[in-house]
Amino acid sequence: MAASDKDEFPVYTNHPVFGGIATLGYNIFAAPAIWFNKKLEAIRGEPQAFYHRRYPRVPTIDECYRDDVVCRFEANQQFMRDKLVEGQMIDILRQRFNECVFYEKGSGMSAYVPLHEGAPVDVSPGSTHQCRAVLEAFEKANENFFIKYGELGKFPTAEQCYLKQKHRLMWERRHGPVGTGMKTDEPAASQE
Amino acid sequence: MPVFSSLRRVLQTKTSTLSQVRNSGFSVPGRPSRWMYDRFKDDLHFYALLTGIPVGIAITTINLFYSNGQLSAIPDGYTPKEWEYYPNPITRFITRHFKIGYQELYEVHLHNMWECAKVSEMSQLKNEVKRQMAMKGDYKGWYHRSDMAKYARQRRAMNIETTDSRGDHLIDE
């Protein structure tokens, strides 16, 4: 029973220095609660199912007529939900990168690097470290999130986001890809 | 028992016999009464715990012995009821008997928006017709007042009733 408890709570109980303290803390705080919960589980009876809400997809804002208020409202609500979901996705990718660095950096004072000096692992462009791929995925996703939702304010609407895309496409049509600079206005030179 | 003023004697640390002066025959100097303060504390504790203890026991019992929620996948072709989205049995009870679900509220809100948009569109149409008639001034427009229809209907009903009871003086029946 003690071995299986330690399997359930493996954090640092086999540490050479702090294992005893961890086991003591576990025995004082966690073990009584786990025992109590197991006793109650026998009394409680059958588990009751509960579900998470599912939101069916509705037409997006580009598929709604201008004066169809119901369609626009639903598209807006879906847009707000999608923003939250995609924000959480970015959080997951960031966590993955942090965990990758934490796992790979090793231990001891050599692995301690102040925050402003970057990661303790080599994630510069062109590195072949496995955390570089994770960082690239996170940065690409972050960039796409900013392209879609950035600079729209605290409470954006689906119309604002849609028109932001339209303005970006028009800008790209006139000046080339974003990041390559604006073209100056020279009609006289082209006519000559 | 929430009559904590009776513990005052046990917890008392300051004795009033330290500051004795000549006091016209009484050994303990007079001081203001603590009765109202003690009575207030007693009442506060009593009335708070009068319902607090039963409700606390009920909530504790339900959460310890009857709360066994398990997150599961929604079965195919099944729409869960509103209360089946919550794990706690007390929340499920309240949601089932006293609450309207988010889905229903959302759809009712959509319908209200549609109705208001219809009213607004009709009002915009009327204003546009008025504007057009005012621009040219060449159309003899019969203006529509929706609040007069009620009285017109009442009058018509009255006419029908009187004709049924008294007859029409123009028509010979």
Side-chain angles (χ1 to χ4, degrees):
Chain A
M1 193 58 186
S4 67
D5 280 344
K6 284 203 167 65
D7 288 336
E8 284 170 6
F9 191 70
V11 180
Y12 289 140
T13 44
N14 51 357
H15 196 273
V17 179
F18 297 110
I21 301 175
T23 321
L24 182 72
Y26 175 78
N27 286 336
I28 291 177
F29 296 109
I34 292 174
W35 171 84
F36 190 59
N37 196 31
K38 282 207 167 56
K39 284 274 170 293
L40 286 178
E41 263 173 24
I43 300 177
R44 254 186 216 138
E46 293 220 355
Q48 225 176 8
F50 73 100
Y51 312 106
H52 275 171
R53 243 177 250 276
R54 288 194 155 254
Y55 296 96
R57 297 300 291 183
V58 291
T60 47
I61 190 67
D62 56 319
E63 295 165 14
C64 288
Y65 284 109
R66 182 187 57 88
D67 38 9
D68 189 356
V69 289
V70 174
C71 180
R72 283 173 73 165
F73 178 79
E74 288 203 278
N76 228 334
Q77 294 286 309
Q78 186 174 257
F79 168 77
M80 286 195 265
R81 284 196 297 267
D82 286 348
K83 182 176 180 213
L84 294 175
V85 167
E86 283 165 22
Q88 292 288 319
M89 287 182 191
I90 307 282
D91 276 346
I92 289 174
L93 290 174
R94 187 189 299 122
Q95 275 295 310
R96 278 196 194 156
F97 172 66
N98 286 339
E99 284 164 6
C100 180
V101 168
F102 191 81
Y103 191 78
E104 298 288 330
K105 71 177 169 61
S107 59
M109 281 308 294
S110 61
Y112 172 71
V113 170
L115 224 75
H116 58 267
E117 288 180 24
V121 176
D122 177 27
V123 281
S124 52
S127 157
T128 51
H129 198 277
Q130 60 179 344
C131 291
R132 175 68 198 164
V134 182
L135 180 65
E136 277 173 9
F138 164 65
E139 286 192 338
K140 188 73 189 154
N142 214 4
E143 180 188 336
N144 291 338
F145 186 86
F146 187 83
I147 289 172
K148 186 173 178 187
Y149 299 106
E151 292 179 335
L152 290 178
K154 181 79 173 135
F155 301 107
T157 58
E159 291 93 357
Q160 283 176 356
C161 180
Y162 187 44
L163 289 175
K164 182 185 177 189
Q165 185 191 45
K166 183 201 87 174
H167 295 153
R168 179 171 59 84
L169 292 176
M170 284 171 63
W171 194 96
E172 283 187 345
R173 189 193 299 177
R174 290 175 189 165
H175 301 280
V178 172
T180 55
M182 273 176 80
K183 296 202 171 96
T184 53
D185 208 16
E186 290 176 353
S190 63
Q191 275 169 16
E192 281 172 359
Chain B
M1 282 293 281
V3 185
F4 293 111
S5 59
S6 56
L7 299 173
R8 231 186 82 231
R9 219 183 319 148
V10 176
L11 300 168
Q12 201 169 326
T13 53
K14 189 170 157 187
T15 55
S16 56
T17 53
L18 287 173
S19 55
Q20 273 204 29
V21 290
R22 279 159 288 286
N23 205 1
S24 66
F26 295 96
S27 59
V28 179
R31 59 181 181 177
S33 162
R34 283 188 51 132
W35 186 84
M36 285 184 289
Y37 177 53
D38 294 337
R39 178 66 195 265
F40 170 73
K41 283 190 287 183
D42 285 347
D43 284 344
L44 182 72
H45 284 114
F46 178 71
Y47 287 109
L49 296 178
L50 184 66
T51 48
I53 287 179
V55 167
I57 288 176
I59 292 176
T60 311
T61 318
I62 291 175
N63 279 331
L64 284 182
F65 299 117
Y66 295 98
S67 171
N68 202 0
Q70 201 174 59
L71 181 62
S72 20
I74 299 176
D76 289 333
Y78 176 67
T79 326
K81 306 279 188 305
E82 180 62 27
W83 65 85
E84 286 172 356
Y85 289 117
Y86 304 100
N88 193 301
I90 303 175
T91 317
R92 283 173 95 114
F93 178 79
I94 295 171
T95 312
R96 186 155 76 222
H97 293 117
F98 302 116
K99 284 277 192 184
I100 303 173
Y102 283 118
Q103 174 95 15
E104 186 176 338
L105 290 172
Y106 181 79
E107 290 178 11
V108 165
H109 180 57
L110 289 181
H111 171 75
N112 284 335
M113 255 199 320
W114 182 83
E115 288 256 12
C116 292
K118 277 272 170 278
V119 168
S120 164
E121 282 164 17
M122 185 54 81
S123 171
Q124 286 174 14
L125 188 62
K126 285 183 195 168
N127 286 334
E128 177 62 21
V129 167
K130 265 195 203 148
R131 188 180 76 98
Q132 292 287 339
M133 289 198 287
M135 271 196 325
K136 304 284 176 65
D138 58 352
Y139 189 76
K140 193 164 64 173
W142 285 264
Y143 286 84
H144 173 255
R145 284 167 62 187
S146 56
D147 55 335
M148 301 304 285
K150 182 176 90 164
Y151 303 108
R153 272 185 238 118
Q154 283 175 354
R155 192 165 180 84
R156 188 159 141 245
M158 185 189 79
N159 284 338
I160 289 172
E161 197 190 326
T162 48
T163 321
D164 284 343
S165 61
R166 300 189 203 158
D168 194 313
H169 68 279
L170 294 175
I171 298 175
D172 196 18
E173 280 187 20

